[in-house]
Amino acid sequence: QFQMIRHEDLRLEESLGRGSFTRIFKGSKTDIREGERQNTDVLLKVLDGSYKNCWESFFEAASLMSQISHKHLLLVYGISVHRSENIMVQEFVKYGALDLFLRKKQGSVPVSWKLDVAKQLACVLNFLEEKKIVHGNISAKNLLLAREGDSSIGTSPFIKLSDPGISVAVTGRDVALDRIPWVAPEVLEAPETWGMECDKWSFGTTLWEIFNGGKAPLQGLDPQQKLMFYENHEQLPSPKWTELADLIGRCMEYDPALRPSSRGIIRQLNSLITSDYELLDPGLSAHA
Ligand SMILES: N#Cc1ccc(Nc2nc(N)cc(-n3cnc(CCO)c3)n2)cc1
């Protein structure tokens, strides 16, 4: 279900850091198109050799992404297996992970920009929900920015949802604890029973990140304290904007059945987008 890419057609360039269980590199892949060599910028995700039992989950994530296509889903070109190295070859997204971008832009990102990104994520969640596909790892770190968006020249941001990576169902409890508060509480209890609603919980956490300058929620808490956060049914600190706080709170309902559908999320985001003008400039809406 996806292309096998020859190791000799790949070139690893600079290291870009690491995800969990993987190292990521900028690189290029060479194709022969109509008899001529063509180089494409790629992002190479190399699975650490020591996690043998994860490689089927690694490739499941890759094949999930290559079986469906959507403008806001990352393009996975294929995989390359070479000696003990398992490599996922994906499109290189120009501006990288959203959490790092937001931290770099510290607070200088307009509310309309944030709502636009949130809406794009809600749309791809709706697409996955209609296909009954659970992503399982929605977070600002896994949203990639293909276009920065610049209101002064009228361009808007464009995001791509990255592959889900290794599923918490195979990683074990310590990684699942580390993914609090992105991983839905029910997933922690019984990883194999999780359903569509778990992506809604993570959407709420990601929305919180987007409106908190890309800061990681519950940073600095150790795994035990993170577990207590769930045991005590605690909520993340609410943003001042009450309608936004309501949406985050509804997504991060401990009872999965009470979380909104993706259509409900889109509806509520649309009302935030229209009400957004009061926040920007009360006078503006008077003339709108
Ligand atoms: N400076 C800089 C810079 C860095 C990276 C990219 N591009 C890119 N493309 C992808 N397909 C995936 C990622 N990526 C980043 N972090 C993760 C791990 C967490 O998901 C994945 N980055 C562009 C610019």
Side-chain angles (χ1 to χ4, degrees), residues 114-115 117-119 121 140 201-212 239 244 247-248 251 265 269 272:
K114 296 175 182 174
L115 288 170
V117 162
K119 182 130 181 239
L121 177 57
W201 174 282
S202 318
F203 177 85
T205 314
T206 306
L207 207 45
W208 191 93
E209 292 183 274
I210 292 170
F211 281 85
N212 277 273
L244 174 70
L247 176 53
I248 293 173
C251 293
I265 289 173
L269 274 177
L272 291 187

mmCIF file with all atom_site columns, all heavy atoms in Angstrom, residues 114-115 117-119 121 140 201-212 239 244 247-248 251 265 269 272:
data_model
loop_
_atom_site.group_PDB
_atom_site.id
_atom_site.type_symbol
_atom_site.label_atom_id
_atom_site.label_alt_id
_atom_site.label_comp_id
_atom_site.label_asym_id
_atom_site.label_entity_id
_atom_site.label_seq_id
_atom_site.pdbx_PDB_ins_code
_atom_site.Cartn_x
_atom_site.Cartn_y
_atom_site.Cartn_z
_atom_site.occupancy
_atom_site.B_iso_or_equiv
_atom_site.pdbx_formal_charge
_atom_site.auth_seq_id
_atom_site.auth_comp_id
_atom_site.auth_asym_id
_atom_site.auth_atom_id
_atom_site.pdbx_PDB_model_num
ATOM 1   N N   . LYS A 1 114 ? -4.970  32.015 14.351 1.00 0.00 ? 114 LYS A N   1
ATOM 2   C CA  . LYS A 1 114 ? -5.119  30.823 15.198 1.00 0.00 ? 114 LYS A CA  1
ATOM 3   C C   . LYS A 1 114 ? -6.433  30.106 14.882 1.00 0.00 ? 114 LYS A C   1
ATOM 4   O O   . LYS A 1 114 ? -6.479  28.878 14.784 1.00 0.00 ? 114 LYS A O   1
ATOM 5   C CB  . LYS A 1 114 ? -5.080  31.221 16.680 1.00 0.00 ? 114 LYS A CB  1
ATOM 6   C CG  . LYS A 1 114 ? -3.746  31.823 17.097 1.00 0.00 ? 114 LYS A CG  1
ATOM 7   C CD  . LYS A 1 114 ? -3.795  32.323 18.540 1.00 0.00 ? 114 LYS A CD  1
ATOM 8   C CE  . LYS A 1 114 ? -2.469  32.971 18.920 1.00 0.00 ? 114 LYS A CE  1
ATOM 9   N NZ  . LYS A 1 114 ? -2.535  33.594 20.271 1.00 0.00 ? 114 LYS A NZ  1
ATOM 10  N N   . LEU A 1 115 ? -7.503  30.899 14.683 1.00 0.00 ? 115 LEU A N   1
ATOM 11  C CA  . LEU A 1 115 ? -8.808  30.292 14.386 1.00 0.00 ? 115 LEU A CA  1
ATOM 12  C C   . LEU A 1 115 ? -8.774  29.607 13.020 1.00 0.00 ? 115 LEU A C   1
ATOM 13  O O   . LEU A 1 115 ? -9.366  28.544 12.833 1.00 0.00 ? 115 LEU A O   1
ATOM 14  C CB  . LEU A 1 115 ? -9.903  31.365 14.429 1.00 0.00 ? 115 LEU A CB  1
ATOM 15  C CG  . LEU A 1 115 ? -10.254 31.883 15.819 1.00 0.00 ? 115 LEU A CG  1
ATOM 16  C CD1 . LEU A 1 115 ? -11.148 33.105 15.726 1.00 0.00 ? 115 LEU A CD1 1
ATOM 17  C CD2 . LEU A 1 115 ? -10.894 30.799 16.678 1.00 0.00 ? 115 LEU A CD2 1
ATOM 18  N N   . VAL A 1 117 ? -6.161  28.166 11.592 1.00 0.00 ? 117 VAL A N   1
ATOM 19  C CA  . VAL A 1 117 ? -5.430  26.896 11.771 1.00 0.00 ? 117 VAL A CA  1
ATOM 20  C C   . VAL A 1 117 ? -6.322  25.878 12.475 1.00 0.00 ? 117 VAL A C   1
ATOM 21  O O   . VAL A 1 117 ? -6.411  24.715 12.065 1.00 0.00 ? 117 VAL A O   1
ATOM 22  C CB  . VAL A 1 117 ? -4.115  27.152 12.563 1.00 0.00 ? 117 VAL A CB  1
ATOM 23  C CG1 . VAL A 1 117 ? -3.554  25.880 13.152 1.00 0.00 ? 117 VAL A CG1 1
ATOM 24  C CG2 . VAL A 1 117 ? -3.091  27.832 11.659 1.00 0.00 ? 117 VAL A CG2 1
ATOM 25  N N   . ALA A 1 118 ? -7.046  26.343 13.510 1.00 0.00 ? 118 ALA A N   1
ATOM 26  C CA  . ALA A 1 118 ? -7.928  25.432 14.266 1.00 0.00 ? 118 ALA A CA  1
ATOM 27  C C   . ALA A 1 118 ? -9.008  24.864 13.345 1.00 0.00 ? 118 ALA A C   1
ATOM 28  O O   . ALA A 1 118 ? -9.326  23.667 13.408 1.00 0.00 ? 118 ALA A O   1
ATOM 29  C CB  . ALA A 1 118 ? -8.566  26.181 15.434 1.00 0.00 ? 118 ALA A CB  1
ATOM 30  N N   . LYS A 1 119 ? -9.506  25.706 12.455 1.00 0.00 ? 119 LYS A N   1
ATOM 31  C CA  . LYS A 1 119 ? -10.580 25.274 11.546 1.00 0.00 ? 119 LYS A CA  1
ATOM 32  C C   . LYS A 1 119 ? -10.049 24.234 10.554 1.00 0.00 ? 119 LYS A C   1
ATOM 33  O O   . LYS A 1 119 ? -10.704 23.239 10.254 1.00 0.00 ? 119 LYS A O   1
ATOM 34  C CB  . LYS A 1 119 ? -11.146 26.485 10.802 1.00 0.00 ? 119 LYS A CB  1
ATOM 35  C CG  . LYS A 1 119 ? -12.286 26.124 9.884  1.00 0.00 ? 119 LYS A CG  1
ATOM 36  C CD  . LYS A 1 119 ? -13.508 27.002 10.057 1.00 0.00 ? 119 LYS A CD  1
ATOM 37  C CE  . LYS A 1 119 ? -14.608 26.540 9.116  1.00 0.00 ? 119 LYS A CE  1
ATOM 38  N NZ  . LYS A 1 119 ? -15.041 27.587 8.182  1.00 0.00 ? 119 LYS A NZ  1
ATOM 39  N N   . LEU A 1 121 ? -7.631  22.144 11.076 1.00 0.00 ? 121 LEU A N   1
ATOM 40  C CA  . LEU A 1 121 ? -7.480  20.881 11.814 1.00 0.00 ? 121 LEU A CA  1
ATOM 41  C C   . LEU A 1 121 ? -8.842  20.222 12.002 1.00 0.00 ? 121 LEU A C   1
ATOM 42  O O   . LEU A 1 121 ? -8.983  19.007 11.808 1.00 0.00 ? 121 LEU A O   1
ATOM 43  C CB  . LEU A 1 121 ? -6.805  21.132 13.169 1.00 0.00 ? 121 LEU A CB  1
ATOM 44  C CG  . LEU A 1 121 ? -6.665  19.890 14.074 1.00 0.00 ? 121 LEU A CG  1
ATOM 45  C CD1 . LEU A 1 121 ? -5.906  18.774 13.373 1.00 0.00 ? 121 LEU A CD1 1
ATOM 46  C CD2 . LEU A 1 121 ? -5.992  20.263 15.398 1.00 0.00 ? 121 LEU A CD2 1
ATOM 47  N N   . ALA A 1 140 ? -0.039  19.929 18.598 1.00 0.00 ? 140 ALA A N   1
ATOM 48  C CA  . ALA A 1 140 ? 0.550   21.034 17.820 1.00 0.00 ? 140 ALA A CA  1
ATOM 49  C C   . ALA A 1 140 ? 1.899   20.612 17.250 1.00 0.00 ? 140 ALA A C   1
ATOM 50  O O   . ALA A 1 140 ? 2.306   21.053 16.172 1.00 0.00 ? 140 ALA A O   1
ATOM 51  C CB  . ALA A 1 140 ? 0.711   22.272 18.709 1.00 0.00 ? 140 ALA A CB  1
ATOM 52  N N   . TRP A 1 201 ? -10.622 14.728 22.134 1.00 0.00 ? 201 TRP A N   1
ATOM 53  C CA  . TRP A 1 201 ? -9.923  15.153 23.355 1.00 0.00 ? 201 TRP A CA  1
ATOM 54  C C   . TRP A 1 201 ? -8.620  15.864 22.959 1.00 0.00 ? 201 TRP A C   1
ATOM 55  O O   . TRP A 1 201 ? -8.346  16.981 23.392 1.00 0.00 ? 201 TRP A O   1
ATOM 56  C CB  . TRP A 1 201 ? -9.647  13.951 24.262 1.00 0.00 ? 201 TRP A CB  1
ATOM 57  C CG  . TRP A 1 201 ? -8.803  14.287 25.457 1.00 0.00 ? 201 TRP A CG  1
ATOM 58  C CD1 . TRP A 1 201 ? -7.444  14.470 25.483 1.00 0.00 ? 201 TRP A CD1 1
ATOM 59  C CD2 . TRP A 1 201 ? -9.247  14.517 26.807 1.00 0.00 ? 201 TRP A CD2 1
ATOM 60  N NE1 . TRP A 1 201 ? -7.021  14.810 26.748 1.00 0.00 ? 201 TRP A NE1 1
ATOM 61  C CE2 . TRP A 1 201 ? -8.097  14.823 27.575 1.00 0.00 ? 201 TRP A CE2 1
ATOM 62  C CE3 . TRP A 1 201 ? -10.488 14.473 27.442 1.00 0.00 ? 201 TRP A CE3 1
ATOM 63  C CZ2 . TRP A 1 201 ? -8.170  15.104 28.949 1.00 0.00 ? 201 TRP A CZ2 1
ATOM 64  C CZ3 . TRP A 1 201 ? -10.558 14.741 28.810 1.00 0.00 ? 201 TRP A CZ3 1
ATOM 65  C CH2 . TRP A 1 201 ? -9.415  15.043 29.534 1.00 0.00 ? 201 TRP A CH2 1
ATOM 66  N N   . SER A 1 202 ? -7.847  15.201 22.068 1.00 0.00 ? 202 SER A N   1
ATOM 67  C CA  . SER A 1 202 ? -6.549  15.766 21.659 1.00 0.00 ? 202 SER A CA  1
ATOM 68  C C   . SER A 1 202 ? -6.725  17.077 20.893 1.00 0.00 ? 202 SER A C   1
ATOM 69  O O   . SER A 1 202 ? -5.875  17.959 20.977 1.00 0.00 ? 202 SER A O   1
ATOM 70  C CB  . SER A 1 202 ? -5.798  14.779 20.760 1.00 0.00 ? 202 SER A CB  1
ATOM 71  O OG  . SER A 1 202 ? -5.904  13.478 21.254 1.00 0.00 ? 202 SER A OG  1
ATOM 72  N N   . PHE A 1 203 ? -7.853  17.201 20.180 1.00 0.00 ? 203 PHE A N   1
ATOM 73  C CA  . PHE A 1 203 ? -8.141  18.465 19.481 1.00 0.00 ? 203 PHE A CA  1
ATOM 74  C C   . PHE A 1 203 ? -8.247  19.588 20.522 1.00 0.00 ? 203 PHE A C   1
ATOM 75  O O   . PHE A 1 203 ? -7.714  20.681 20.325 1.00 0.00 ? 203 PHE A O   1
ATOM 76  C CB  . PHE A 1 203 ? -9.441  18.367 18.673 1.00 0.00 ? 203 PHE A CB  1
ATOM 77  C CG  . PHE A 1 203 ? -9.818  19.653 18.001 1.00 0.00 ? 203 PHE A CG  1
ATOM 78  C CD1 . PHE A 1 203 ? -9.290  20.003 16.762 1.00 0.00 ? 203 PHE A CD1 1
ATOM 79  C CD2 . PHE A 1 203 ? -10.688 20.554 18.627 1.00 0.00 ? 203 PHE A CD2 1
ATOM 80  C CE1 . PHE A 1 203 ? -9.622  21.206 16.147 1.00 0.00 ? 203 PHE A CE1 1
ATOM 81  C CE2 . PHE A 1 203 ? -11.014 21.757 18.020 1.00 0.00 ? 203 PHE A CE2 1
ATOM 82  C CZ  . PHE A 1 203 ? -10.486 22.082 16.782 1.00 0.00 ? 203 PHE A CZ  1
ATOM 83  N N   . GLY A 1 204 ? -8.912  19.285 21.642 1.00 0.00 ? 204 GLY A N   1
ATOM 84  C CA  . GLY A 1 204 ? -9.062  20.285 22.711 1.00 0.00 ? 204 GLY A CA  1
ATOM 85  C C   . GLY A 1 204 ? -7.705  20.700 23.253 1.00 0.00 ? 204 GLY A C   1
ATOM 86  O O   . GLY A 1 204 ? -7.432  21.902 23.423 1.00 0.00 ? 204 GLY A O   1
ATOM 87  N N   . THR A 1 205 ? -6.835  19.730 23.473 1.00 0.00 ? 205 THR A N   1
ATOM 88  C CA  . THR A 1 205 ? -5.498  20.035 23.994 1.00 0.00 ? 205 THR A CA  1
ATOM 89  C C   . THR A 1 205 ? -4.710  20.877 22.985 1.00 0.00 ? 205 THR A C   1
ATOM 90  O O   . THR A 1 205 ? -4.026  21.830 23.336 1.00 0.00 ? 205 THR A O   1
ATOM 91  C CB  . THR A 1 205 ? -4.727  18.723 24.271 1.00 0.00 ? 205 THR A CB  1
ATOM 92  O OG1 . THR A 1 205 ? -5.566  17.799 24.958 1.00 0.00 ? 205 THR A OG1 1
ATOM 93  C CG2 . THR A 1 205 ? -3.483  18.974 25.097 1.00 0.00 ? 205 THR A CG2 1
ATOM 94  N N   . THR A 1 206 ? -4.872  20.525 21.682 1.00 0.00 ? 206 THR A N   1
ATOM 95  C CA  . THR A 1 206 ? -4.142  21.241 20.627 1.00 0.00 ? 206 THR A CA  1
ATOM 96  C C   . THR A 1 206 ? -4.643  22.670 20.510 1.00 0.00 ? 206 THR A C   1
ATOM 97  O O   . THR A 1 206 ? -3.851  23.604 20.341 1.00 0.00 ? 206 THR A O   1
ATOM 98  C CB  . THR A 1 206 ? -4.295  20.489 19.290 1.00 0.00 ? 206 THR A CB  1
ATOM 99  O OG1 . THR A 1 206 ? -3.890  19.127 19.488 1.00 0.00 ? 206 THR A OG1 1
ATOM 100 C CG2 . THR A 1 206 ? -3.458  21.120 18.185 1.00 0.00 ? 206 THR A CG2 1
ATOM 101 N N   . LEU A 1 207 ? -5.976  22.845 20.672 1.00 0.00 ? 207 LEU A N   1
ATOM 102 C CA  . LEU A 1 207 ? -6.564  24.187 20.654 1.00 0.00 ? 207 LEU A CA  1
ATOM 103 C C   . LEU A 1 207 ? -5.959  25.013 21.800 1.00 0.00 ? 207 LEU A C   1
ATOM 104 O O   . LEU A 1 207 ? -5.569  26.166 21.626 1.00 0.00 ? 207 LEU A O   1
ATOM 105 C CB  . LEU A 1 207 ? -8.071  24.065 20.829 1.00 0.00 ? 207 LEU A CB  1
ATOM 106 C CG  . LEU A 1 207 ? -8.999  25.118 20.260 1.00 0.00 ? 207 LEU A CG  1
ATOM 107 C CD1 . LEU A 1 207 ? -8.625  25.501 18.853 1.00 0.00 ? 207 LEU A CD1 1
ATOM 108 C CD2 . LEU A 1 207 ? -10.428 24.613 20.316 1.00 0.00 ? 207 LEU A CD2 1
ATOM 109 N N   . TRP A 1 208 ? -5.819  24.390 22.962 1.00 0.00 ? 208 TRP A N   1
ATOM 110 C CA  . TRP A 1 208 ? -5.218  25.066 24.124 1.00 0.00 ? 208 TRP A CA  1
ATOM 111 C C   . TRP A 1 208 ? -3.796  25.499 23.781 1.00 0.00 ? 208 TRP A C   1
ATOM 112 O O   . TRP A 1 208 ? -3.390  26.634 24.045 1.00 0.00 ? 208 TRP A O   1
ATOM 113 C CB  . TRP A 1 208 ? -5.210  24.112 25.333 1.00 0.00 ? 208 TRP A CB  1
ATOM 114 C CG  . TRP A 1 208 ? -4.858  24.764 26.632 1.00 0.00 ? 208 TRP A CG  1
ATOM 115 C CD1 . TRP A 1 208 ? -5.708  25.300 27.560 1.00 0.00 ? 208 TRP A CD1 1
ATOM 116 C CD2 . TRP A 1 208 ? -3.528  24.971 27.145 1.00 0.00 ? 208 TRP A CD2 1
ATOM 117 N NE1 . TRP A 1 208 ? -4.997  25.824 28.609 1.00 0.00 ? 208 TRP A NE1 1
ATOM 118 C CE2 . TRP A 1 208 ? -3.659  25.640 28.392 1.00 0.00 ? 208 TRP A CE2 1
ATOM 119 C CE3 . TRP A 1 208 ? -2.240  24.662 26.691 1.00 0.00 ? 208 TRP A CE3 1
ATOM 120 C CZ2 . TRP A 1 208 ? -2.556  25.998 29.179 1.00 0.00 ? 208 TRP A CZ2 1
ATOM 121 C CZ3 . TRP A 1 208 ? -1.137  25.014 27.461 1.00 0.00 ? 208 TRP A CZ3 1
ATOM 122 C CH2 . TRP A 1 208 ? -1.303  25.674 28.693 1.00 0.00 ? 208 TRP A CH2 1
ATOM 123 N N   . GLU A 1 209 ? -3.033  24.605 23.124 1.00 0.00 ? 209 GLU A N   1
ATOM 124 C CA  . GLU A 1 209 ? -1.646  24.941 22.748 1.00 0.00 ? 209 GLU A CA  1
ATOM 125 C C   . GLU A 1 209 ? -1.619  26.138 21.797 1.00 0.00 ? 209 GLU A C   1
ATOM 126 O O   . GLU A 1 209 ? -0.816  27.056 21.954 1.00 0.00 ? 209 GLU A O   1
ATOM 127 C CB  . GLU A 1 209 ? -0.986  23.762 22.025 1.00 0.00 ? 209 GLU A CB  1
ATOM 128 C CG  . GLU A 1 209 ? -0.710  22.529 22.859 1.00 0.00 ? 209 GLU A CG  1
ATOM 129 C CD  . GLU A 1 209 ? 0.000   21.482 22.023 1.00 0.00 ? 209 GLU A CD  1
ATOM 130 O OE1 . GLU A 1 209 ? -0.703  20.711 21.332 1.00 0.00 ? 209 GLU A OE1 1
ATOM 131 O OE2 . GLU A 1 209 ? 1.243   21.458 22.025 1.00 0.00 ? 209 GLU A OE2 1
ATOM 132 N N   . ILE A 1 210 ? -2.527  26.109 20.795 1.00 0.00 ? 210 ILE A N   1
ATOM 133 C CA  . ILE A 1 210 ? -2.529  27.160 19.762 1.00 0.00 ? 210 ILE A CA  1
ATOM 134 C C   . ILE A 1 210 ? -2.787  28.523 20.402 1.00 0.00 ? 210 ILE A C   1
ATOM 135 O O   . ILE A 1 210 ? -2.167  29.523 20.044 1.00 0.00 ? 210 ILE A O   1
ATOM 136 C CB  . ILE A 1 210 ? -3.583  26.853 18.679 1.00 0.00 ? 210 ILE A CB  1
ATOM 137 C CG1 . ILE A 1 210 ? -3.168  25.616 17.867 1.00 0.00 ? 210 ILE A CG1 1
ATOM 138 C CG2 . ILE A 1 210 ? -3.815  28.047 17.753 1.00 0.00 ? 210 ILE A CG2 1
ATOM 139 C CD1 . ILE A 1 210 ? -4.244  25.074 16.931 1.00 0.00 ? 210 ILE A CD1 1
ATOM 140 N N   . PHE A 1 211 ? -3.681  28.554 21.400 1.00 0.00 ? 211 PHE A N   1
ATOM 141 C CA  . PHE A 1 211 ? -4.022  29.822 22.056 1.00 0.00 ? 211 PHE A CA  1
ATOM 142 C C   . PHE A 1 211 ? -3.150  30.126 23.264 1.00 0.00 ? 211 PHE A C   1
ATOM 143 O O   . PHE A 1 211 ? -3.394  31.098 23.977 1.00 0.00 ? 211 PHE A O   1
ATOM 144 C CB  . PHE A 1 211 ? -5.522  29.854 22.400 1.00 0.00 ? 211 PHE A CB  1
ATOM 145 C CG  . PHE A 1 211 ? -6.380  30.171 21.198 1.00 0.00 ? 211 PHE A CG  1
ATOM 146 C CD1 . PHE A 1 211 ? -6.787  29.157 20.331 1.00 0.00 ? 211 PHE A CD1 1
ATOM 147 C CD2 . PHE A 1 211 ? -6.715  31.485 20.891 1.00 0.00 ? 211 PHE A CD2 1
ATOM 148 C CE1 . PHE A 1 211 ? -7.530  29.441 19.193 1.00 0.00 ? 211 PHE A CE1 1
ATOM 149 C CE2 . PHE A 1 211 ? -7.467  31.783 19.754 1.00 0.00 ? 211 PHE A CE2 1
ATOM 150 C CZ  . PHE A 1 211 ? -7.882  30.759 18.910 1.00 0.00 ? 211 PHE A CZ  1
ATOM 151 N N   . ASN A 1 212 ? -2.140  29.282 23.507 1.00 0.00 ? 212 ASN A N   1
ATOM 152 C CA  . ASN A 1 212 ? -1.200  29.552 24.599 1.00 0.00 ? 212 ASN A CA  1
ATOM 153 C C   . ASN A 1 212 ? 0.223   29.626 24.077 1.00 0.00 ? 212 ASN A C   1
ATOM 154 O O   . ASN A 1 212 ? 1.156   29.114 24.700 1.00 0.00 ? 212 ASN A O   1
ATOM 155 C CB  . ASN A 1 212 ? -1.326  28.467 25.687 1.00 0.00 ? 212 ASN A CB  1
ATOM 156 C CG  . ASN A 1 212 ? -2.469  28.783 26.635 1.00 0.00 ? 212 ASN A CG  1
ATOM 157 O OD1 . ASN A 1 212 ? -2.297  29.496 27.622 1.00 0.00 ? 212 ASN A OD1 1
ATOM 158 N ND2 . ASN A 1 212 ? -3.643  28.302 26.284 1.00 0.00 ? 212 ASN A ND2 1
ATOM 159 N N   . PRO A 1 239 ? -8.624  29.635 29.016 1.00 0.00 ? 239 PRO A N   1
ATOM 160 C CA  . PRO A 1 239 ? -8.292  30.928 28.415 1.00 0.00 ? 239 PRO A CA  1
ATOM 161 C C   . PRO A 1 239 ? -9.361  31.943 28.805 1.00 0.00 ? 239 PRO A C   1
ATOM 162 O O   . PRO A 1 239 ? -10.480 31.559 29.175 1.00 0.00 ? 239 PRO A O   1
ATOM 163 C CB  . PRO A 1 239 ? -8.312  30.638 26.913 1.00 0.00 ? 239 PRO A CB  1
ATOM 164 C CG  . PRO A 1 239 ? -9.161  29.433 26.751 1.00 0.00 ? 239 PRO A CG  1
ATOM 165 C CD  . PRO A 1 239 ? -9.058  28.645 28.015 1.00 0.00 ? 239 PRO A CD  1
ATOM 166 N N   . LEU A 1 244 ? -14.166 30.181 23.800 1.00 0.00 ? 244 LEU A N   1
ATOM 167 C CA  . LEU A 1 244 ? -13.052 29.273 23.467 1.00 0.00 ? 244 LEU A CA  1
ATOM 168 C C   . LEU A 1 244 ? -12.877 28.272 24.602 1.00 0.00 ? 244 LEU A C   1
ATOM 169 O O   . LEU A 1 244 ? -12.740 27.062 24.366 1.00 0.00 ? 244 LEU A O   1
ATOM 170 C CB  . LEU A 1 244 ? -11.765 30.078 23.254 1.00 0.00 ? 244 LEU A CB  1
ATOM 171 C CG  . LEU A 1 244 ? -10.503 29.247 23.043 1.00 0.00 ? 244 LEU A CG  1
ATOM 172 C CD1 . LEU A 1 244 ? -10.525 28.547 21.677 1.00 0.00 ? 244 LEU A CD1 1
ATOM 173 C CD2 . LEU A 1 244 ? -9.256  30.117 23.171 1.00 0.00 ? 244 LEU A CD2 1
ATOM 174 N N   . LEU A 1 247 ? -15.403 25.541 24.310 1.00 0.00 ? 247 LEU A N   1
ATOM 175 C CA  . LEU A 1 247 ? -15.107 24.544 23.261 1.00 0.00 ? 247 LEU A CA  1
ATOM 176 C C   . LEU A 1 247 ? -14.015 23.587 23.731 1.00 0.00 ? 247 LEU A C   1
ATOM 177 O O   . LEU A 1 247 ? -14.148 22.366 23.625 1.00 0.00 ? 247 LEU A O   1
ATOM 178 C CB  . LEU A 1 247 ? -14.690 25.250 21.967 1.00 0.00 ? 247 LEU A CB  1
ATOM 179 C CG  . LEU A 1 247 ? -14.251 24.349 20.806 1.00 0.00 ? 247 LEU A CG  1
ATOM 180 C CD1 . LEU A 1 247 ? -15.300 23.290 20.484 1.00 0.00 ? 247 LEU A CD1 1
ATOM 181 C CD2 . LEU A 1 247 ? -13.933 25.188 19.569 1.00 0.00 ? 247 LEU A CD2 1
ATOM 182 N N   . ILE A 1 248 ? -12.967 24.139 24.336 1.00 0.00 ? 248 ILE A N   1
ATOM 183 C CA  . ILE A 1 248 ? -11.870 23.292 24.840 1.00 0.00 ? 248 ILE A CA  1
ATOM 184 C C   . ILE A 1 248 ? -12.422 22.340 25.900 1.00 0.00 ? 248 ILE A C   1
ATOM 185 O O   . ILE A 1 248 ? -12.163 21.131 25.884 1.00 0.00 ? 248 ILE A O   1
ATOM 186 C CB  . ILE A 1 248 ? -10.712 24.144 25.406 1.00 0.00 ? 248 ILE A CB  1
ATOM 187 C CG1 . ILE A 1 248 ? -10.034 24.933 24.286 1.00 0.00 ? 248 ILE A CG1 1
ATOM 188 C CG2 . ILE A 1 248 ? -9.692  23.257 26.132 1.00 0.00 ? 248 ILE A CG2 1
ATOM 189 C CD1 . ILE A 1 248 ? -8.989  25.945 24.753 1.00 0.00 ? 248 ILE A CD1 1
ATOM 190 N N   . CYS A 1 251 ? -14.485 19.504 24.373 1.00 0.00 ? 251 CYS A N   1
ATOM 191 C CA  . CYS A 1 251 ? -13.631 18.478 23.737 1.00 0.00 ? 251 CYS A CA  1
ATOM 192 C C   . CYS A 1 251 ? -12.942 17.649 24.808 1.00 0.00 ? 251 CYS A C   1
ATOM 193 O O   . CYS A 1 251 ? -12.772 16.441 24.662 1.00 0.00 ? 251 CYS A O   1
ATOM 194 C CB  . CYS A 1 251 ? -12.585 19.143 22.843 1.00 0.00 ? 251 CYS A CB  1
ATOM 195 S SG  . CYS A 1 251 ? -13.279 19.956 21.398 1.00 0.00 ? 251 CYS A SG  1
ATOM 196 N N   . ILE A 1 265 ? -17.787 20.697 16.341 1.00 0.00 ? 265 ILE A N   1
ATOM 197 C CA  . ILE A 1 265 ? -16.581 21.499 16.577 1.00 0.00 ? 265 ILE A CA  1
ATOM 198 C C   . ILE A 1 265 ? -16.481 22.593 15.510 1.00 0.00 ? 265 ILE A C   1
ATOM 199 O O   . ILE A 1 265 ? -16.231 23.755 15.821 1.00 0.00 ? 265 ILE A O   1
ATOM 200 C CB  . ILE A 1 265 ? -15.320 20.597 16.562 1.00 0.00 ? 265 ILE A CB  1
ATOM 201 C CG1 . ILE A 1 265 ? -15.281 19.701 17.809 1.00 0.00 ? 265 ILE A CG1 1
ATOM 202 C CG2 . ILE A 1 265 ? -14.055 21.439 16.464 1.00 0.00 ? 265 ILE A CG2 1
ATOM 203 C CD1 . ILE A 1 265 ? -14.163 18.663 17.810 1.00 0.00 ? 265 ILE A CD1 1
ATOM 204 N N   . LEU A 1 269 ? -16.474 26.555 16.087 1.00 0.00 ? 269 LEU A N   1
ATOM 205 C CA  . LEU A 1 269 ? -15.340 27.371 15.622 1.00 0.00 ? 269 LEU A CA  1
ATOM 206 C C   . LEU A 1 269 ? -15.856 28.507 14.738 1.00 0.00 ? 269 LEU A C   1
ATOM 207 O O   . LEU A 1 269 ? -15.402 29.649 14.858 1.00 0.00 ? 269 LEU A O   1
ATOM 208 C CB  . LEU A 1 269 ? -14.346 26.520 14.827 1.00 0.00 ? 269 LEU A CB  1
ATOM 209 C CG  . LEU A 1 269 ? -13.277 25.785 15.627 1.00 0.00 ? 269 LEU A CG  1
ATOM 210 C CD1 . LEU A 1 269 ? -12.427 24.922 14.707 1.00 0.00 ? 269 LEU A CD1 1
ATOM 211 C CD2 . LEU A 1 269 ? -12.378 26.777 16.373 1.00 0.00 ? 269 LEU A CD2 1
ATOM 212 N N   . LEU A 1 272 ? -17.002 31.236 16.786 1.00 0.00 ? 272 LEU A N   1
ATOM 213 C CA  . LEU A 1 272 ? -15.860 31.973 17.374 1.00 0.00 ? 272 LEU A CA  1
ATOM 214 C C   . LEU A 1 272 ? -15.292 32.923 16.321 1.00 0.00 ? 272 LEU A C   1
ATOM 215 O O   . LEU A 1 272 ? -14.947 34.069 16.609 1.00 0.00 ? 272 LEU A O   1
ATOM 216 C CB  . LEU A 1 272 ? -14.759 31.004 17.815 1.00 0.00 ? 272 LEU A CB  1
ATOM 217 C CG  . LEU A 1 272 ? -15.013 30.085 19.006 1.00 0.00 ? 272 LEU A CG  1
ATOM 218 C CD1 . LEU A 1 272 ? -13.744 29.341 19.367 1.00 0.00 ? 272 LEU A CD1 1
ATOM 219 C CD2 . LEU A 1 272 ? -15.504 30.868 20.208 1.00 0.00 ? 272 LEU A CD2 1
#
